[in-house]
Amino acid sequence: APRTSSPPRLLSARGAMSAPSDLVAKRRKMDGTAKPSSSSAATATASASAAAGDRANVIAQLEDADGNPAGPQLDLPHDADHTQLETLLNALLQNEDKVPFAFYAADAEVIGPLGAHLAKRGASTETVLKIVYQPQALFRVRPVTRCSSAIPGHAEAVLSVAFSPDGKNLASGSGDTTIRLWNHDTETPKATLKGHSNWVLCIAWSPDARLLASGSMDKDVRLWSTTGEARGGPMRGHRKHVTALAWEPAHVRYPPERLASASADGTARVW
């Protein structure tokens, strides 16, 4: 009997089954239906999991550096940042004035959103997260709105003023050529020191608060006791007015023995 060919449908099926794999891949590529590789799928799954972790809420406990909790455990949103944590903590601590805080989680300071902070450091959100807070230095500048007192006495402008190191005496040098010692508790003068013949430009207390040095427009340097008495005569040598005075530091020699003066003549002298 003559051989007959198989039905076309069967041939078509056999031809499809016997098609090379490269042809199938090319066809899928042309159709845009290529099957993703296992590694790509795994990467996509991991990225999706990480993104989901970033968006998950965080159960956290705020505590100070000694481990003392501030309120109960909190369910925080993933996008809670430093500012929101600070507002929340001030409310928990019932601070009337806002206090700045720094927050630390996963061994690093929280700067941006909490979820991104934890994801960056690979921290788990499955357990209670400890967030340690530390108060920051707070500086408040309050404007001076009034003068507490005014002490009259000098006849001309006051050019220099200085408290003694022990805080018991206040001295002022003036354009009226005098130096005055004041009782700052009663706001009355204790003594008037006269000797300079021109403006008293600078004064300086010795570190032991026993002597007061003064420099003047008359080019002289003078020493005074706390009772207002002159200690020796004027120290002369500068050719122009004295602009600054400085005693040697107490840690070098106490009581001090040397005094330095500066002048507009371009020199400094040690006495």
Side-chain angles (χ1 to χ4, degrees), residues 5-15:
S5 60
S6 301
R9 184 177 299 178
L10 182 60
L11 285 174
S12 176
R14 288 180 179 179

Side-chain angles (χ1 to χ4, degrees), residues 48-234:
S49 299
D54 291 350
R55 294 190 297 269
N57 283 13
V58 179
I59 305 300
Q61 175 67 65
L62 295 173
E63 59 183 37
D64 60 17
D66 297 327
N68 300 315
Q73 295 180 1
L74 304 170
D75 187 3
L76 301 176
H78 70 280
D79 56 352
D81 58 13
H82 171 273
T83 303
Q84 294 170 332
L85 291 175
E86 188 174 82
T87 302
L88 177 61
L89 181 58
N90 275 291
L92 290 174
L93 298 179
Q94 298 180 354
N95 294 328
E96 294 183 0
D97 296 330
K98 184 179 179 181
V99 178
F101 291 95
F103 298 91
Y104 298 86
D107 300 325
E109 184 176 0
V110 178
I111 303 297
L114 186 59
H117 173 84
L118 298 177
K120 183 177 179 180
R121 287 157 183 81
S124 173
T125 58
E126 300 297 327
T127 58
V128 177
L129 176 68
K130 292 184 179 180
I131 302 178
V132 179
Y133 65 87
Q134 292 182 357
Q136 303 299 292
L138 181 63
F139 299 95
R140 290 191 177 95
V141 179
R142 297 182 179 178
V144 177
T145 58
R146 65 183 180 86
C147 175
S148 62
S149 61
I151 310 176
H154 285 294
E156 296 290 343
V158 177
L159 304 176
S160 54
V161 64
F163 275 105
S164 61
D166 59 6
K168 296 180 179 180
N169 292 290
L170 173 64
S172 60
S174 172
D176 62 9
T177 74
T178 67
I179 303 163
R180 285 180 179 256
L181 299 181
W182 305 90
N183 184 326
H184 49 79
D185 292 326
T186 62
E187 300 180 0
T188 56
K190 295 172 61 176
T192 301
L193 288 52
K194 297 181 179 180
H196 287 294
S197 59
N198 210 324
W199 300 349
V200 180
L201 300 177
C202 52
I203 55 177
W205 287 96
S206 61
D208 59 0
R210 295 175 56 191
L211 294 174
L212 175 68
S214 61
S216 172
M217 184 73 79
D218 61 13
K219 312 172 190 176
D220 294 346
V221 176
R222 290 178 177 267
L223 296 180
W224 314 86
S225 68
T226 55
T227 58
E229 299 174 351
R231 299 295 296 270

Side-chain angles (χ1 to χ4, degrees), residues 205-209 211 247-250 253-259:
W205 287 96
S206 61
D208 59 0
L211 294 174
W247 291 87
E248 64 179 329
R253 183 179 287 109
Y254 190 87
E257 296 181 358
R258 293 180 292 182
L259 170 70

